[in-house]
Amino acid sequence: MSASSNDLPLPAPAAPAPAVTAFPVLATLSVCHLLNDLIQSLLPALYPLLKDAFALDFGQIGLITLTFQFTASLLQPVIGLYTDRHPKPYSLAIGMCSTLLGLLLLSRATSFPVLLVAAALIGTGSSVFHPESSRIARIASGGRHGLAQSLFQVGGNVGSAIGPLLAAWIVMPRGQVSVAWFALAALAAIVLLTRIGGWYAARLAAAPLRRGGGATAELRLPSRRIAGALLVLGLLIFSKYFYLASLTSYYTFYLMHRFGIDAQGAQLRLFVFLGAVAVGTIAGGPIGDRIGRRYVIWGSILGVLPFTLLLPHADLLWTTLLTIPIGLILASAFAAILVYAQDLVPGRPGTIAGLFFGFAFGMGGLGAAVLGQLADHAGIATVYALCAWLPAIGLLAWFLPALAPSPAAGGAAINGRT
């Protein structure tokens, strides 16, 4: 008796095609991050020039940084939440237009309030750029989330390192008006981000979002444990960015005050530190993909403590050399922290990116303001003696729950939900 068609073995379901990492998209995002953060880094790099031109004290310098960081940090979580639900492919290019206006205003500012408005415009552009581009990087990751975030973030760190160097070579000799030349960087970023918007719009058209709550992702841990882990991550961000604020905003003044070097010499040493940050950033994400992000977070925050404790007691040569391991080790944390948080709360990559970028910017701005007041009242050397202990907060990483690696197959959905 012949077998009926119902008795025939069914073919095995086809395995999903392996996700492909969109390296051209990640590379373009990284270049745009470089241009964006190059422009942002001009502001603190110009502090010595602005301090003399406008007769500013350290408290006013801290207020400029606070204004920039506050506008960035306040809007980022809101923008991340909104674009998770309602993606806007060309929002990145529009946000960069705000940065362009702030840059041009900074080059022509004639008073302290105008400086604050320019800082706010640059901060607003940043508030759009970071959560949305971080979310697109996750979509383009092909499941290699740590690698994608590191590639994206290293562009920003390279830009932050180049900015002070270009300020020393271009702006310091030629004055405030020469800042307008950097509008070319903003225009280039607008062109590139428009192309990224076209790529993202095509992805949206090919796989439109499901409306009405059809694409919710399950939490991997109880809500209370997730809240506790996010609190620990927030405290680690606090320690990292308060310490970074002491270097990005006041390191040049510290070197000039303690060792008597000129502004250009101090800017070159700031470039050494920021270059180390750029190199360190690229390592944290891929290592976290391989061995687990919790270990990277633990080592990168706490591991920097011996070097920060030595820094206030070092001579000029050793101060310069110590900032290299500080930058390398500390910079590896953020990509791991961000992807770990996105894995904790699946389905909301833009919201988490906006929250953590925003909180990081806010802590940087608050740190600059607080440390500026401290420097005015207790001296710049006291700032570094106290900040040296901040990485000890890294001990809290012990309380982070271990997470299994997030599945790489299939990458990220168009709306960022895995």
Side-chain angles (χ1 to χ4, degrees):
M1 181 176 175
S2 61
S4 68
S5 60
N6 290 337
D7 296 328
L8 295 176
L10 296 175
V20 177
T21 303
F23 284 107
V25 174
L26 294 176
T28 303
L29 285 173
S30 187
V31 170
C32 292
H33 202 179
L34 184 155
L35 296 173
N36 180 79
D37 285 21
L38 184 155
I39 294 169
Q40 293 179 36
S41 68
L42 286 176
L43 193 58
L46 290 174
Y47 284 166
L49 185 151
L50 297 176
K51 187 175 187 295
D52 292 338
F54 294 89
L56 306 179
D57 58 28
F58 285 123
Q60 289 175 305
I61 289 172
L63 285 175
I64 295 174
T65 304
L66 178 61
T67 300
F68 163 68
Q69 304 283 27
F70 181 76
T71 53
S73 63
L74 183 66
L75 294 177
Q76 285 200 42
V78 177
I79 291 172
L81 178 62
Y82 180 79
T83 55
D84 271 342
R85 297 177 176 177
H86 310 284
K88 302 296 181 185
Y90 296 100
S91 60
L92 287 170
I94 295 171
M96 188 59 65
C97 292
S98 176
T99 300
L100 173 62
L101 291 175
L103 187 66
L104 294 175
L105 187 60
L106 178 63
S107 70
R108 298 291 181 176
T110 57
S111 66
F112 179 67
V114 177
L115 290 177
L116 294 180
V117 173
L121 285 170
I122 296 173
T124 300
S126 179
S127 72
V128 177
F129 179 83
H130 286 96
E132 184 69 346
S133 55
S134 179
R135 188 167 67 89
I136 293 177
R138 188 174 177 92
I139 294 170
S141 70
R144 301 165 73 180
H145 303 313
L147 174 64
Q149 288 299 328
S150 284
L151 289 175
F152 164 64
Q153 290 175 28
V154 75
N157 287 327
V158 171
S160 296
I162 293 174
L165 194 62
L166 295 179
W169 288 349
I170 297 175
V171 181
M172 291 297 184
R174 295 170 176 82
Q176 179 185 347
V177 69
S178 63
V179 172
W181 285 102
F182 292 91
L184 295 174
L187 289 171
I190 290 170
V191 173
L192 292 174
L193 291 173
T194 301
R195 296 190 64 182
I196 289 290
W199 175 85
Y200 186 32
R203 294 288 298 269
L204 288 173
L209 294 175
R210 287 179 286 173
R211 305 293 180 183
T216 57
E218 294 183 1
L219 298 178
R220 304 173 68 186
L221 292 171
S223 297
R224 181 172 294 182
R225 291 201 70 190
I226 291 175
L230 291 176
L231 176 61
V232 169
L233 293 176
L235 291 171
L236 297 180
I237 290 289
F238 161 78
S239 71
K240 171 182 168 67
Y241 280 90
F242 245 68
Y243 188 80
L244 283 177
S246 73
L247 288 170
T248 56
S249 292
Y250 301 109
Y251 183 49
T252 53
F253 296 113
Y254 174 74
L255 294 173
M256 293 163 65
H257 168 77
R258 183 168 180 192
F259 302 111
I261 64 175
D262 60 18
Q264 285 189 321
Q267 293 285 5
L268 291 174
R269 286 166 174 81
L270 178 60
F271 169 74
V272 170
F273 166 71
L274 294 175
V277 169
V279 173
T281 298
I282 198 65
I287 293 174
D289 284 340
R290 183 175 296 272
I291 69 171
R293 307 185 215 290
R294 183 170 175 265
Y295 299 110
V296 174
I297 295 168
W298 173 271
S300 62
I301 299 290
L302 189 59
V304 80
L305 182 61
F307 302 102
T308 62
L309 291 175
L310 286 172
L311 185 69
H313 310 288
D315 60 17
L316 178 59
L317 174 61
W318 278 103
T319 294
T320 305
L321 293 177
L322 284 170
T323 60
I324 296 174
I326 289 173
L328 287 171
I329 298 171
L330 201 59
S332 63
F334 191 76
I337 289 174
L338 179 59
V339 178
Y340 181 92
Q342 289 175 331
D343 288 344
L344 274 174
V345 189
R348 290 289 183 265
T351 303
I352 292 296
L355 181 65
F356 275 81
F357 274 112
F359 187 66
F361 276 47
M363 288 300 98
L366 181 61
V370 170
L371 296 177
Q373 294 293 335
L374 180 62
D376 280 335
H377 290 89
I380 195 72
T382 302
V383 168
Y384 286 89
L386 293 177
C387 287
W389 292 95
L390 282 172
I393 295 176
L395 288 167
L396 293 173
W398 176 265
F399 297 102
L400 292 175
L403 294 177
S406 57
I414 300 303
N415 63 345
R417 295 180 178 182
T418 53

